[in-house]
Amino acid sequence: MTDIHAKEQTNIKFTVESLNLFYGDFQALNDINLTIEKNEITALIGPSGCGKSTFLKTLNRMNDLEPNVTINGNIYLDSVDVNKDMDAIELRKRVSMVFQQPNPFPKSVYDNVAYGPRINGIRKKTQLDEIVERSLKQAAIWDEVKDRLHKSALGLSGGQQQRLCIARTLALEPEVILMDEPTSALDPISTMKIEDLASELKKNYTIVIVTHNMQQASRISDKTAFFLLGNLVEFDTTITLFSQPSDKRTEEYITGRFG
Amino acid sequence: MSTRIQYMKELEKLNHDVLEMSTEITEAIEVMSLALESCDTKLSMQLIEGDDVIDHMERSIEKYCIDLVVKEAPIASDWRRIASIMRIVSDLERIADHCSDIAGYVLKLSKGKPVIPPFQFGEMIQIMKSMVTDTITSFITLDIPMALDVVERDEFVDQLFTAAMDEICDKVKESPLDIDQYASYILINKYIERMADHAVNVAKWIPYIASGEYKI
């Protein structure tokens, strides 16, 4: 058995080794090492500007779109180096992203979800219908939109739009879903729906979520990483990090001593 | 930059309230010890009447903890401290209750024929008192070795408890007509032993507050 096969049999989805990222001369990430396990929710926390969103973007190479970004170190997705041995489009099919502000296309609910599959060459209506229904059901929004599939997505509430965006992501059957503060623009009920959804989705997907909400991280994540000034200060099971943090800086941040 | 200034003040007040309650309790033990030694009815009445104040302190600290949990969603060391205090004040209150219980039996003893108490009581009370004060000190300083020492000292109190029981039984055999007086001493003996147990219960929370270590 080769090393690659040996790695595939583990539960590790991402392995990040000695990752450094620079915006021009400014070093935004400093020697990050961590592993992200399959079918788990990994939360990234830390004060604004600590590098957590920057780190999240490196996982599907969204930083490629930024000027003056230099990355060194290695990020392996199922033991393949995403920066050296993988096409960015292929990577983003497998590792998709949900953003802070819901960003549905100004199209119908149906067309939002069918957009990705259509681009990938699926034209058959029955097949698209099946994908749209399955994705909307997985995103726990089917019952709310099944009678208005052909109306504009922009008429949905913020929480519904965010779940629609998740459905749009699921239609492409990714392996990993990256969420960048997905509930910060939502009301508490919509937030709970997204959190329940994330907990449900982890059965089939790997989720990495950036959040400023400590309670959200402690409620839904299995592991939590605390970033500060571009450094990964502490990475542990969520229950340990929130009850017995080993680093004083983590303790001070999560208990609100600084921020 | 320091944040949550109001929250920090509230945590300080919580600590202060626990210390205030602890001071009342160590004073109650002192008064109980004097009342028992000299069969003093005035001091006993003072203890019984003062127990309501300590009960009120316990309820007020519990309510404060509940409010802090609801308002501030404490985590990490803050949560460990608040959760532990909710348990600790209940044990401290039981210690005060037992002082009042003993005072009740001192009043009963004062109405009957004077009978010498078991000689072990002096040493038992002294050790129990040191256990209560040390457990409170370890709560303030988060001194884990001191807390563990409190747990170990309970063994001496248990040994003295058994010896006192034997002594009381012997005395009852010698003077069966004094059974009422000795029955009171049997219960006082048990209360002193239970007070040491409550000090141990408090001491066992200290490692959890300090480091998060929780033994099942």
Side-chain angles (χ1 to χ4, degrees):
Chain A
M1 189 181 281
T2 65
D3 282 346
I4 289 174
H5 285 122
K7 275 191 179 177
E8 278 176 355
Q9 284 197 345
T10 69
N11 284 326
I12 294 169
K13 196 70 193 168
F14 273 110
T15 303
V16 178
E17 291 176 349
S18 306
L19 180 71
N20 293 286
L21 184 144
F22 299 82
Y23 291 120
D25 294 334
F26 174 72
Q27 185 161 7
L29 292 175
N30 182 27
D31 194 29
I32 307 296
N33 292 281
L34 93 164
T35 53
I36 290 167
E37 294 205 25
K38 282 178 193 164
N39 304 114
E40 280 196 348
I41 300 179
T42 302
L44 312 179
I45 62 167
S48 297
C50 69
K52 57 191 186 302
S53 290
T54 298
F55 174 74
L56 189 78
K57 287 182 197 164
T58 63
L59 297 178
N60 75 344
R61 287 176 54 184
M62 293 289 277
N63 290 305
D64 284 9
L65 309 171
E66 307 266 351
N68 299 322
V69 170
T70 315
I71 295 178
N72 58 55
N74 303 96
I75 300 173
Y76 299 99
L77 172 63
D78 290 337
S79 65
V80 177
D81 191 320
V82 303
N83 287 308
K84 296 182 181 122
D85 303 321
M86 201 179 286
D87 171 62
I89 305 296
E90 172 64 21
L91 172 66
R92 289 178 202 143
K93 273 189 203 167
R94 293 175 62 187
V95 183
S96 64
M97 188 173 271
V98 176
F99 298 90
Q100 184 174 3
Q101 289 290 342
N103 54 355
F105 300 133
K107 291 170 176 284
S108 70
V109 170
Y110 185 100
D111 287 342
N112 262 275
V113 183
Y115 189 88
R118 276 181 181 139
I119 281 187
N120 283 308
I122 298 173
R123 289 279 178 268
K124 212 171 153 190
K125 189 175 179 307
T126 51
Q127 200 180 350
L128 284 173
D129 286 351
E130 192 268 323
I131 291 171
V132 169
E133 182 172 339
R134 189 193 63 226
S135 306
L136 290 169
K137 278 182 174 165
Q138 278 189 330
I141 193 181
W142 171 252
D143 287 341
E144 292 162 63
V145 297
K146 64 184 177 194
D147 298 326
R148 48 175 301 177
L149 289 176
H150 298 288
K151 290 188 177 165
S152 171
L154 300 181
L156 299 175
S157 72
Q160 287 172 328
Q161 287 186 8
Q162 192 63 303
R163 279 178 286 146
L164 175 66
C165 292
I166 293 172
R168 188 175 64 186
T169 289
L170 298 176
L172 289 170
E173 298 185 45
E175 296 159 37
V176 182
I177 303 171
L178 309 177
M179 297 182 170
D180 194 356
E181 296 183 51
T183 62
S184 61
L186 304 182
D187 68 72
I189 304 281
S190 304
T191 297
M192 287 300 165
K193 283 184 180 168
I194 301 282
E195 288 184 11
D196 284 346
L197 176 58
S199 299
E200 191 60 29
L201 289 175
K202 80 169 181 177
K203 292 174 189 162
N204 299 312
Y205 304 89
T206 301
I207 297 174
V208 186
I209 180 169
V210 164
T211 179
H212 276 293
N213 183 335
M214 300 296 152
Q215 296 292 309
Q216 181 168 75
S218 68
R219 271 195 299 265
I220 66 168
S221 71
D222 299 287
K223 302 241 172 64
T224 299
F226 170 56
F227 285 78
L228 185 65
L229 301 169
N231 296 300
L232 175 60
V233 172
E234 189 163 347
F235 180 51
D236 211 328
T237 61
T238 296
I239 196 78
T240 302
L241 194 129
F242 281 96
S243 58
Q244 295 171 256
S246 56
D247 194 289
K248 193 168 176 288
R249 291 167 295 176
T250 314
E251 169 95 28
E252 287 179 346
Y253 179 69
I254 63 173
T255 58
R257 260 60 168 183
F258 75 84
Chain B
M1 186 185 79
S2 180
T3 56
R4 299 184 87 180
I5 292 163
Q6 187 57 33
Y7 176 46
M8 298 299 120
K9 282 184 186 164
E10 285 169 336
L11 286 176
E12 264 177 43
K13 176 176 160 34
L14 179 62
N15 269 336
H16 176 267
D17 288 354
V18 175
L19 289 185
E20 204 172 71
M21 183 178 174
S22 305
T23 308
E24 287 289 327
I25 282 154
T26 47
E27 277 175 21
I29 295 172
E30 196 64 45
V31 174
M32 178 277 288
S33 171
L34 287 172
L36 180 61
E37 198 181 315
S38 50
C39 208
D40 189 318
T41 53
K42 200 177 155 198
L43 287 179
S44 298
M45 286 303 298
Q46 182 188 321
L47 270 177
I48 293 166
E49 282 161 11
D51 193 43
D52 284 351
V53 175
I54 295 174
D55 286 353
H56 181 262
M57 283 177 155
E58 184 212 5
R59 301 291 295 163
S60 145
I61 291 170
E62 271 177 1
K63 175 74 169 63
Y64 202 74
C65 288
I66 292 167
D67 289 350
L68 273 177
V69 170
V70 172
K71 279 197 316 178
E72 303 286 355
I75 45 176
S77 60
D78 294 344
W79 164 247
R80 299 202 302 265
R81 178 167 286 270
I82 292 169
S84 303
I85 285 174
M86 287 182 79
R87 300 299 305 272
I88 284 170
V89 289
S90 159
D91 278 297
L92 292 178
E93 189 273 332
R94 294 300 293 152
I95 292 173
D97 270 353
H98 292 333
C99 285
S100 171
D101 293 334
I102 290 172
Y105 282 101
V106 170
L107 289 179
K108 195 168 173 236
L109 282 162
S110 70
K111 288 174 190 152
K113 178 186 157 192
V115 167
I116 298 168
F119 72 91
Q120 292 88 353
F121 276 9
E123 195 180 355
M124 267 178 97
I125 290 173
Q126 198 185 5
I127 299 174
M128 176 274 289
K129 202 157 63 179
S130 76
M131 288 168 70
V132 173
T133 49
D134 284 358
T135 205
I136 291 164
T137 306
S138 65
F139 167 78
I140 300 162
T141 58
L142 297 183
D143 185 335
I144 297 176
M146 183 184 265
L148 296 179
D149 191 54
V150 169
V151 177
E152 284 186 7
R153 252 179 286 164
D154 192 40
E155 180 68 27
F156 298 120
V157 176
D158 288 347
Q159 284 168 8
L160 288 164
F161 166 77
T162 308
M165 279 301 286
D166 292 346
E167 160 119 352
I168 294 167
C169 288
D170 288 346
K171 290 276 176 62
V172 170
K173 284 172 197 160
E174 284 169 22
S175 324
L177 293 177
D178 296 332
I179 182 72
D180 283 353
Q181 306 291 77
Y182 286 116
S184 294
Y185 284 138
I186 288 172
L187 290 165
I188 290 171
N189 191 30
K190 188 63 193 166
Y191 286 132
I192 300 169
E193 189 268 337
R194 288 298 299 151
M195 287 161 88
D197 286 346
H198 287 299
V200 167
N201 289 348
V202 175
K204 283 182 173 171
W205 283 104
I206 308 306
Y208 176 69
I209 301 174
S211 69
E213 188 187 338
Y214 186 87
K215 282 186 185 157
I216 294 171

